[in-house]
């Protein structure tokens, strides 16, 4: 099963991805991590992406899709792929569908975590990540046992620069004007399920798990 999680910054997408990938034996593939890993490993897609990454430019859609196809080809014993952060645009979604079809693959299910914009802003104000492995914490809804320290690996927690101020507004604007169009795209394929992401982590998890059964 290949699953896509769609959600704005602060929707809880990363937290739910950790749960789902573990429970359903899926390979969790966050686009940023995938890009950095491919470059570090010197894969063909990584080599193609490196010049763009080093210049700070957007990596072409075809190159990003190539990385995802590489990930599907090497699932490491997992039952499928869980895509987090890709695709972001209709163009990327269409290329992904086309390239997957060439391999006899497809996107099986798309989960959209729907959260009101104001709630997203409030969540992001309390969101922190650990420096070692990027585990996600929130001082309001998911606080660590020891303030400022990750429960899992003991590393320092920090707040991303794009989780504050104008950076948040810009990223949410992009999501609600561009990425949101993916919901209709996958709904037309009868693959999309909208989940109310405004509840507790456990409430959302129960709904997501039911949608993927």
């Amino acid at each position: 099963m290949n699953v896509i999680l769609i959600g704005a910054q602060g929707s809880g997408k990363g937290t739910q991805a950790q749960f789902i990938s573990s429970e359903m034996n899926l390979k969790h593939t966050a686009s940023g991590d995938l890009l950095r890993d491919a470059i570090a490993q010197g894969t063909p897609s990584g080599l193609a992406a490196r010049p763009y990454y080093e210049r700070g430019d957007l990596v072409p859609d075809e190159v990003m899709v190539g990385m995802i196809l590489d990930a599907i080809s090497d699932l490491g014993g997992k039952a499928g792929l869980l895509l987090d952060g890709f695709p972001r645009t209709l163009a990327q979604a269409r290329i992904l569908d086309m390239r997957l079809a060439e391999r006899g693959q497809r996107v099986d299910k798309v989960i959209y975590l729907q959260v009101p914009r104001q709630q997203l802003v409030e969540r992001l104000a309390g969101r922190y990540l650990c420096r070692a492995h990027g585990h996600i914490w929130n001082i309001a809804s998911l606080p660590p046992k020891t303030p400022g320290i990750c429960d899992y690996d003991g590393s320092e927690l920090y707040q991303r620069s794009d989780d504050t101020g104008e950076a948040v507004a810009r990223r949410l604007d992009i999501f609600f004007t561009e990425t949101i169009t993916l919901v209709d795209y996958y709904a037309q394929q009868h693959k999309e399920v909208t989940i109310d992401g405004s509840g507790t982590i456990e409430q959302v998890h129960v709904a997501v798990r039911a949608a993927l059964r």
Side-chain angles (χ1 to χ4, degrees), residues 12-53:
K13 184 162 51 68
T15 299
Q16 295 301 327
Q18 291 175 14
F19 293 149
I20 297 165
S21 59
S22 175
E23 292 178 359
M24 300 189 67
N25 193 33
L26 299 177
K27 182 178 181 179
H28 179 200
T29 305
S31 57
D33 294 340
L34 186 66
L35 175 61
R36 288 184 286 273
D37 288 347
I39 291 173
Q41 294 171 16
T43 67
S45 295
L47 293 173
R50 181 187 292 275
Y52 299 94
Y53 183 80

Side-chain angles (χ1 to χ4, degrees), residues 52-66:
Y52 299 94
Y53 183 80
E54 291 179 345
R55 291 196 303 265
D57 294 338
L58 291 176
V59 176
D61 295 344
E62 280 283 3
V63 176
M64 286 301 302
V65 171

Side-chain angles (χ1 to χ4, degrees), residues 3-7 13 29-32 34 59-69 81-97 100 107 110 179 182 186:
V3 178
I4 293 175
L5 275 180
I6 297 175
K13 184 162 51 68
T29 305
S31 57
L34 186 66
V59 176
D61 295 344
E62 280 283 3
V63 176
M64 286 301 302
V65 171
M67 292 181 193
I68 291 166
L69 295 176
L81 201 64
L82 175 61
L83 284 174
D84 171 3
F86 190 92
R88 294 181 185 271
T89 66
L90 281 176
Q92 291 176 350
R94 288 171 177 145
I95 293 171
L96 179 60
D97 278 349
L100 285 174
V107 172
V110 177
T179 308
L182 295 175
Y186 287 114

Side-chain angles (χ1 to χ4, degrees), residues 190-213:
H190 307 290
K191 296 177 179 178
E192 184 270 340
V193 178
T194 296
I195 301 293
D196 180 2
S198 62
T200 66
I201 292 173
E202 179 58 28
Q203 288 170 338
V204 175
H205 178 53
V206 169
V208 171
R209 191 168 50 196
L212 291 174
R213 284 200 183 106

Side-chain angles (χ1 to χ4, degrees), residues 107-165:
V107 172
D108 296 291
K109 188 74 72 174
V110 177
I111 302 295
Y112 168 43
L113 299 181
Q114 186 177 51
V115 181
R117 181 172 180 135
Q118 183 55 39
Q119 187 174 356
L120 292 169
V121 173
E122 293 169 359
R123 286 183 178 182
L124 290 169
R127 184 168 80 167
Y128 288 79
L129 286 75
C130 81
R131 292 198 181 277
H133 298 102
H135 295 122
I136 301 169
W137 300 94
N138 192 290
I139 57 175
S141 61
L142 187 66
K145 294 176 182 177
T146 302
I149 301 296
C150 178
D151 289 2
Y152 298 121
D153 51 44
S155 68
E156 176 193 13
L157 301 184
Y158 73 100
Q159 190 166 43
R160 284 170 33 169
S161 60
D162 56 356
D163 276 356
T164 59

